[in-house]
Structures are given as structure tokens and as C-alpha cells.
């Protein structure tokens, strides 16, 4: 329905933007498999072994394990907390809700920077700095507002009559949650899992402040690695791709859900 | 897209009317005994999350305010200094410069990505041609990349012997080549462009979703009146995206204010202090040469600014 000129102009602009996104990424990927330490792309000589070399010399086995442990626990426990909280606020009602819910929303607006300083000095005497359980607690606590908000919206989108009839059949609150509601809100749970995985895995600031030495996460280890290998650009790029890989793989497989989920993420500060 | 997937953009962050609505829905009439019992059970369900949130977020938030009135190196006795940490934030040239940098970053992290997001969303929604899904996929790609990897990518692009300078030399503009991130004049804009690159795909997705809820009749009416694509955009699309614009503005402006990862990995605030942001200043004051009270004051100001920005934009966007 649109004119030929307009179509040509549209495609030109879209292709130019796509190139602006892809060229830097492509250059980085080629640098990662380059035989040259300066990372100059060499199409005829792709060194895939750069990935293995980078993996070994950055000791990624250790830091990736730390990142994976943190991420899996935060995703599983965080989604559980969000489900329970969202169900409370969205279906059962919560005593003091009028005061409590705005307080929860506040958590989506204030930034990590506002709490990081006391958090650090409070956690230090408790032995929770430089500890994996410590950082898991922080991820979980800061994730509650968005999780509860997100699951509450999903529960409220379900028809009330559904819960009323289940209640008449004698189902308790927990049973209603697990048997009646959960199967219906699976898409929302799914999105929350993806977002929470991405946010936790990609975190840099919290890990930088709270974890050192053997407890370093992959993102922080990558920063250290690039500091040490400023002259080996190809290995540094290979390491970067390894650290970004888990989320990139998820993106490739779940791209529709990811984009929908990021939209929802518009609400997280 | 799920039903829930399209739901959230309607609710802006910090929409003041939201909690009120939530309250109303909770108690339609006088609550029966059973209803009251259910609300206590509801509190029980929400309690684990709320307690953790209180412990990790709310308590430290209050303590941040308390810390900000003291001078403390993290070890020895803290000294009460009143509002000194706040006034220093406004008078110390190095700390004050961070506000100016944030303003520049807002142009690159907010204005440019929103403009590009609008442009790409308008082009992608107006035409239903093959390849549109691929463009959306590409533009959104930077969103899922770890910020540290994005920083490394651009550190490479901007390097003295990197592809950008090589390209300049190849077309005979070698005199413009420089170490972009090491240049007092260019480091901040160069850094800002990374934010533009990373952020416009997110704005685009937001606007595409908003545009899909604009009634097609409005477009038909505009076309009947003989509006071309440009007039159509300004008369129909842009007004229809007000809510999404508010979300995008809030998130990108607070994002610019809070920039840490990108700066920390690429320039550490340098050269000199030319790319110093409040978050980097906070990190230094808290964990490098501890002036804990100063760091807390920076954190409190940042939180207040974020809150203020969110509330102002929401308020403005709701006004008719």
C-alpha cells in the first residue's frame, strides 16, 4: 500500500541502522577468532582455539561456576518469592495492602546506588561480603519489587470466578495457587525466569563490590582478564563472547518471549 | 506475546494512581470474616519476600540517609557533619562536574535512542514487508549483551589502532584519528554513543508495542485527509505513544544518571575527570579511598533525583 520510493527509503534507513548495530559486534567476533594478537580480522585463518585458550588462561571454569550457582538460585528462589507475593497481593489480598504495596513499588524506583554503601558495611561484620550466599540475598531482596509487581499483574488478569469456584470446591489457598492458577500464568512465569536470569548473569556492579578472589563472577573475572591481557585483544574478545554466551543463546532460542519480557522490564529501574 | 506481556506498559513506573487502584480492588464491600482471614493468609504468602526486601532494601535505604550526615572512613569513629556531604556534592568542582556530564549523557542515552527508536518503530510498523522481524531482532540484540562486553567491543572500536581510526585513515581523514576514549573533548561523547547504540532497540520495542494499540481508524482518517507518512507520524503515531514515551524517558534519563559499568570499564572516569559520573564518584568514595558519608550522600541524591524524574514525567504524561 506504500509507494516504491517510500519502500526504498524505508529499507535504506533500516539496513543502515542494522549495520550500525551489527558491524561492531561482527568486528568483535572476528577479533575473537583472529590469529593476530591485535585482533585484526583474518578471514582466511580462523583460530577457534582462542576460545579454549581464553577459557583456560582466565580460569573461567571457576568464575562461570560461581555465576551459574548465583543465577540458578536467584532465579528459582526469586520466582518462588514473586509467585507467593504476587498471589497474596493479586488474589488473596494482604493486610495493610494500601500502605504496603506503594512501599513495594518504591523499590522499583530507587536505585541500587542508594543502598549499596550501608549494605556493604552492614554485611561485612556478618561475613556476608565476599560470600556467594550474601550476594544471592541481595539479588533476591532487590528483585522482590519487580517480581511481586509482575506476578500480581498476571494473577489479576485471571477471572475472579475461577478462584471463587475453586474455593467452593474446597480448595485451600496453596492448592488454588499450584493447581488452578499456576498452569494459567505460565507465560508470565516464563518471562520472569528469562529476565531474572539475564539481570543476574549480566550484573557487574554488585559482584564488583561484593565478590573478590575465588568468588568472582564471570563478568568481573572478564574485567580482570582484559586488564591483564591488554596486548592480547583476540583472547580478550574470545573471553567476552564466552561470558556473554549464556544470555545470547537464550536470546536466540526464546527471542519472541525475550522481547515481550524486556517490555515488561520497562518497569524495572 | 502473552496477555500479560502487553499489560505492563499501561502502568508507568511510579504511577501514583496505581496503589490507589490496588487498594480499592482489595475490599469491595465490608469485608466478611472469611475475606479478612484470606487477607491474613495473603500477608503470610507475601511475608518471605517482603521481609527480605525490607532487610536488603528498606533498612539500608534509611541507613544511607543516616550515614550521609557523618564523616567516616569506614574504620575509625564517625563524626557528625550535618549537611556537609551534601554541600560538598554541590561545591566540590570534581563532584559537581558529574552533573554536567550527566546532562551530556542524557542527550546520548535518552534523546538520541528515543529518536532512533521512534524512527525504527515507525518504519517497522508502517510497512509489513519481509525481513521486519529480522530487523527487530538485530536492533534488540545489544539489550541482551552484558554491559561489560559492550564496553569491551567499543573499547576496541575506539582504540588508537582500532577500526574507526583505520577507516578514517583509509578515506583520507587521518588527521581526525585519535584515541577517542583518551581525549578530553571526545571521551564523553564517545562514551555517550555507546549508550545510544545499546539503548535504542529497547525504545523501539516499547514504541512498537504502543503503536500496535493505536486504533487503525485513526490512520485511515489521516490518510483520507491526505496526510503523508511524515504528517501521519506526527498527527497519529506520536500522540498515541505518550505513555510509552513517558516510560522510555523515565528509564533512559535515570539510566544516564546511574551510568557505571560502561564508564568503569572504558575510562574509569578519565581522562582527568572528563567522564566522571555520580555512580563512579560514589564507588570511589565508598570503596577506594573511603569517605563513606560522602558516598552515602551521593547515593541519596541519586535516589531522590530518580524518584523526582519518574514522578515528574508520569505526572506530565498523564495531564491532558
Amino acid at each position: 500500500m506504500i509507494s516504491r520510493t517510500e519502500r526504498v527509503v524505508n529499507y535504506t534507513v533500516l539496513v543502515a541502522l542494522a549495520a550500525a548495530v551489527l558491524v561492531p559486534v561482527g568486528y568483535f567476533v572476528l577479533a575473537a577468532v583472529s590469529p593476530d594478537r591485535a585482533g585484526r580480522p583474518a578471514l582466511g585463518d580462523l583460530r577457534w582455539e582462542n576460545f579454549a585458550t581464553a577459557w583456560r588462561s582466565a580460569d573461567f571454569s571457576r568464575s562461570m561456576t560461581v555465576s551459574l550457582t548465583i543465577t540458578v538460585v536467584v532465579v528459582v528462589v526469586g520466582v518462588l518469592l514473586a509467585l507467593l507475593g504476587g498471589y497474596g497481593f493479586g488474589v488473596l489480598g494482604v493486610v495493610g495492602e494500601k500502605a504496603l504495596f506503594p512501599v513495594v513499588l518504591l523499590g522499583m524506583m530507587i536505585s541500587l546506588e542508594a543502598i549499596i554503601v550501608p549494605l556493604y558495611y552492614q554485611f561485612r561484620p556478618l561475613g556476608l561480603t565476599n560470600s556467594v550466599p550474601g550476594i544471592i540475598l541481595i539479588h533476591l531482596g532487590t528483585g522482590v519489587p519487580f517480581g511481586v509487581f509482575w506476578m500480581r499483574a498476571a494473577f489479576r488478569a485471571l477471572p475472579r470466578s475461577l478462584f471463587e469456584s475453586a474455593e467452593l470446591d474446597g480448595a485451600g489457598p496453596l492448592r488454588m495457587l499450584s493447581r488452578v492458577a499456576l498452569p494459567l500464568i505460565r507465560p508470565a512465569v516464563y518471562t520472569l525466569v528469562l529476565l531474572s536470569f539475564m539481570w543476574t548473569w549480566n550484573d557487574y556492579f554488585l559482584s564488583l563490590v561484593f565478590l573478590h578472589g575465588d568468588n568472582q563472577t564471570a563478568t568481573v573475572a572478564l574485567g580482570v582478564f582484559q586488564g591483564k591481557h591488554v596486548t592480547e585483544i583476540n583472547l580478550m574478545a574470545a573471553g567476552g563472547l564466552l561470558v556473554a554466551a549464556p544470555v545470547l543463546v537464550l536470546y536466540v532460542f526464546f527471542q519472541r518471549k525475550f522481547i515481550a519480557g524486556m517490555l515488561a522490564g520497562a518497569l524495572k529501574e | 506475546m502473552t496477555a500479560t506481556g502487553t499489560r505492563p506498559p499501561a502502568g508507568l513506573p511510579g504511577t501514583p494512581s496505581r496503589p490507589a487502584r490496588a487498594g480499592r480492588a482489595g475490599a469491595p464491600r465490608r469485608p466478611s470474616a472469611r475475606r479478612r482471614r484470606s487477607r491474613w493468609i495473603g500477608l503470610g504468602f507475601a511475608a518471605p519476600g517482603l521481609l527480605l526486601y525490607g532487610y536488603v532494601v528498606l533498612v539500608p535505604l534509611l541507613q544511607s540517609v543516616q550515614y550521609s550526615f557523618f564523616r567516616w572512613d569506614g574504620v575509625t569513629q564517625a563524626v557528625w557533619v550535618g549537611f556537609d556531604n551534601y554541600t560538598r556534592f554541590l561545591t566540590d568542582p570534581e563532584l559537581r562536574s558529574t552533573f554536567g556530564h550527566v546532562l551530556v549523557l542524557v542527550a546520548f542515552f535518552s534523546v538520541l535512542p528515543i529518536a532512533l527508536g521512534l524512527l525504527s518503530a515507525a518504519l517497522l510498523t508502517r510497512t509489513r514487508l519481509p525481513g521486519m522481524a529480522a530487523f527487530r531482532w538485530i536492533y534488540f540484540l545489544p539489550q541482551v549483551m552484558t554491559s561489560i562486553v559492550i564496553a569491551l567491543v567499543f573499547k576496541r572500536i575506539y582504540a588508537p589502532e582500532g577500526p574507526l581510526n583505520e577507516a578514517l585513515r583509509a578515506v583520507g581523514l587521518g588527521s581526525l584519528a585519535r584515541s577517542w576514549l583518551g581525549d578530553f573533548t571526545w571521551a564523553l561523547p564517545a562514551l555517550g554513543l555507546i549508550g545510544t547504540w545499546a539503548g535504542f532497540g529497547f525504545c523501539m520495542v516499547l514504541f512498537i508495542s504502543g503503536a500496535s494499540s493505536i486504533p487503525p481508524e485513526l490512520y485511515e482518517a489521516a490518510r483520507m485527509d491526505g496526510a503523508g507518512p511524515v504528517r501521519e507520524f506526527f498527527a497519529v503515531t506520536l500522540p498515541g505513544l505518550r505513555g510509552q514515551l513517558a516510560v522510555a524517558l523515565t528509564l533512559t534519563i535515570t539510566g544516564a544518571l546511574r551510568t557505571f559499568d560502561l564508564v568503569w570499564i572504558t575510562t574509569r572516569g578519565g581522562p582527568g575527570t572528563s567522564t566522571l559520573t555520580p555512580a563512579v564518584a560514589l564507588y570511589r568514595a565508598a570503596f577506594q579511598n573511603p569517605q563513606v558519608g560522602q558516598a552515602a550522600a551521593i547515593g541519596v541524591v541519586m535516589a531522590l533525583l530518580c524518584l523526582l524524574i519518574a514522578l515528574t514525567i508520569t505526572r506530565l504524561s498523564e495531564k491532558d
Side-chain angles (χ1 to χ4, degrees):
Chain A
M1 290 274 284
I2 59 170
S3 72
R4 212 184 131 78
T5 1
E6 202 190 323
R7 186 181 303 192
V8 172
V9 172
N10 282 5
Y11 266 118
T12 313
V13 175
L14 290 171
V15 168
L17 278 176
V21 172
L22 284 183
V23 167
V25 177
Y27 188 88
F28 196 70
V29 172
L30 286 179
V33 289
S34 161
D36 176 20
R37 287 170 139 231
R40 253 179 285 275
L43 285 173
D45 184 12
L46 303 182
R47 297 288 174 86
W48 299 101
E49 68 267 24
N50 283 352
F51 289 104
T53 315
W55 180 279
R56 270 195 313 274
S57 63
D59 194 11
F60 274 135
S61 310
R62 189 189 42 72
S63 60
M64 291 271 192
T65 312
V66 174
S67 276
L68 198 65
T69 313
I70 293 172
T71 306
V72 169
V73 176
V74 168
V75 168
V76 172
V77 181
V79 168
L80 203 65
L81 289 176
L83 273 174
L84 290 174
Y87 184 68
F89 279 102
V91 178
L92 299 173
V94 168
V95 179
E97 184 172 303
K98 274 183 193 167
L100 276 180
F101 196 65
V103 172
V104 172
L105 287 183
L106 176 76
M108 295 208 297
M109 279 187 283
I110 61 143
S111 47
L112 200 56
E113 289 84 5
I115 57 171
I116 192 102
V117 176
L119 208 49
Y120 181 79
Y121 286 96
Q122 295 303 309
F123 269 30
R124 202 170 50 172
L126 300 174
L128 287 173
T129 53
N130 201 13
S131 105
V132 170
I135 200 161
I136 287 176
L137 274 185
I138 301 174
H139 274 299
L140 286 175
T142 52
V144 163
F146 176 74
V148 168
F149 176 81
W150 180 229
M151 290 320 306
R152 170 182 169 273
F155 281 117
R156 281 165 67 98
L158 299 176
R160 283 214 76 83
S161 54
L162 190 76
F163 296 105
E164 278 154 19
S165 60
E167 210 172 354
L168 287 178
D169 289 345
L174 203 58
R175 204 180 158 77
M176 276 201 297
L177 170 61
S178 61
R179 293 289 161 78
V180 181
L182 198 56
L184 293 170
I185 53 154
R186 275 225 304 264
V189 175
Y190 204 62
T191 300
L192 187 61
V193 167
L194 284 177
L195 285 175
S196 148
F197 187 97
M198 180 176 89
W199 285 332
T200 314
W201 183 274
N202 285 355
D203 160 70
Y204 179 76
F205 189 50
L206 270 182
S207 323
L208 179 71
V209 170
F210 279 91
L211 299 176
H212 315 280
D214 280 353
N215 287 326
Q216 255 166 9
T217 59
T219 48
V220 176
L222 175 62
V224 174
F225 181 66
Q226 71 104 15
K228 278 189 201 144
H229 291 76
V230 274
T231 55
E232 286 171 282
I233 309 281
N234 53 352
L235 290 189
M236 184 272 287
L241 288 177
L242 287 172
V243 171
V247 183
L248 285 179
V249 169
L250 283 180
Y251 181 55
V252 171
F253 279 108
F254 302 107
Q255 57 116 348
R256 296 192 63 134
K257 289 199 165 73
F258 231 118
I259 291 182
M262 270 318 283
L263 264 181
L267 297 158
K268 175 160 176 157
E269 293 283 353
Chain B
M1 281 278 194
T2 64
T4 46
T6 49
R7 205 183 152 84
L12 307 176
T15 309
S17 59
R18 267 209 162 241
R21 233 181 291 149
R24 237 183 294 143
R29 273 163 273 125
R30 183 185 304 169
S32 65
R34 202 171 66 179
R35 186 92 196 114
R36 262 203 309 275
R37 202 172 64 102
S38 138
R39 281 156 58 82
W40 279 105
I41 299 171
L43 183 64
F45 271 60
L50 290 179
L51 287 175
L52 197 59
Y53 167 61
Y55 177 65
V56 172
V57 178
L58 296 181
V59 172
L61 185 62
L62 294 175
Q63 279 169 336
S64 251
V65 178
Q66 188 199 353
Y67 278 29
S68 69
F69 293 113
F70 287 88
R71 192 173 61 228
W72 187 38
D73 59 8
V75 185
T76 55
Q77 192 70 36
V79 183
W80 171 268
V81 292
F83 281 94
D84 269 16
N85 289 321
Y86 290 96
T87 46
R88 255 200 84 210
F89 198 13
L90 295 172
T91 53
D92 180 276
E94 196 177 306
L95 287 177
R96 199 175 52 188
S97 76
T98 61
F99 289 113
H101 301 155
V102 165
L103 285 181
V104 176
L105 289 185
V106 165
F108 286 102
F109 280 57
S110 183
V111 179
L112 264 179
I114 287 178
L116 286 175
L118 279 171
L119 175 71
S120 50
L123 295 182
L124 288 176
T125 49
R126 192 173 149 75
T127 46
R128 303 242 175 271
L129 295 171
M132 293 298 148
F135 285 120
R136 217 174 44 194
W137 190 89
I138 293 169
Y139 299 160
F140 193 74
L141 180 67
Q143 280 299 311
V144 301
M145 285 175 70
T146 318
S147 56
I148 172 159
V149 173
I150 293 179
L152 293 184
V153 168
F154 278 88
K155 222 175 155 174
R156 183 70 204 121
I157 303 281
Y158 286 137
E161 301 305 319
L164 177 59
N165 285 331
E166 275 176 10
L168 284 173
R169 288 188 195 106
V171 295
L173 292 171
S175 57
L176 291 179
R178 65 195 71 227
S179 167
W180 295 92
L181 290 169
D183 187 290
F184 276 87
T185 317
W186 289 98
L188 194 58
L191 197 72
L193 274 178
I194 310 180
T196 312
W197 183 85
F200 90 90
F202 170 73
C203 297
M204 171 206 67
V205 171
L206 200 57
F207 298 144
I208 287 181
S209 112
S212 66
S213 61
I214 297 174
E217 302 87 64
L218 289 180
Y219 284 104
E220 277 159 32
R223 264 169 233 178
M224 299 273 264
D225 290 344
V230 177
R231 279 230 357 241
E232 194 182 290
F233 172 77
F234 283 102
V236 183
T237 313
L238 203 56
L241 290 178
R242 215 157 61 165
Q244 283 72 25
L245 275 168
V247 173
L249 272 173
T250 310
L251 289 174
T252 51
I253 295 179
T254 53
L257 176 67
R258 299 177 48 197
T259 317
F260 176 81
D261 308 18
L262 277 184
V263 185
W264 190 249
I265 297 155
T266 52
T267 66
R268 303 260 148 137
T273 57
S274 57
T275 57
L276 195 68
T277 63
V280 174
L282 178 147
Y283 179 82
R284 284 182 175 175
F287 307 110
Q288 287 198 319
N289 30 15
Q291 298 168 285
V292 180
Q294 182 66 64
I298 297 174
V300 171
V301 172
M302 284 175 71
L304 285 176
L305 284 177
C306 285
L307 205 63
L308 199 71
I309 291 166
L311 293 178
T312 312
I313 293 173
T314 316
R315 179 67 56 86
L316 287 178
S317 75
E318 277 180 351
K319 211 178 267 174
D320 256 311

